[in-house]
Amino acid sequence: ERLRAKLAALTDPAWPAELALSGSFGVACWAPDTELHQCIGDADQAMYRAKQAGRNRVEVCQGADPGVPETTTAQSRIASLG
């Protein structure tokens, strides 16, 4: 989320809206018993969800943590970590 916000802050307010900088990020949790390509695929799917949900946001992989609802965004996930 901090990286997304810093990227957005690079946009000059005088620039046309079409030139605004933004980023859509997908986050996945990797566990030692998971194949790396699966983790990358999960992050990729989360990134596409971020783009479909309006861009310029961070989405956490669905099922990344059994205690986290599938609709959790990175902001609420970060808050839950304390």
Side-chain angles (χ1 to χ4, degrees):
E1 181 60 29
R2 289 189 306 258
L3 179 58
R4 188 212 54 79
K6 287 185 183 280
L7 182 62
L10 294 174
T11 299
D12 187 319
W15 293 354
E18 306 85 53
L19 298 179
L21 298 173
S22 68
S24 297
F25 297 88
V27 178
C29 298
W30 178 75
D33 61 338
T34 304
E35 294 289 329
L36 182 57
H37 66 63
Q38 179 63 46
C39 183
I40 293 170
D42 290 345
D44 191 49
Q45 288 177 359
M47 181 206 48
Y48 280 107
R49 275 199 324 279
K51 289 177 180 254
Q52 291 172 347
R55 300 178 183 256
N56 196 30
R57 56 186 294 131
V58 180
E59 288 287 332
V60 176
C61 166
Q62 293 180 355
D65 182 336
V68 178
E70 290 187 354
T71 57
T72 299
T73 62
Q75 191 63 32
S76 60
R77 176 71 174 129
I78 290 167
S80 74
L81 295 175

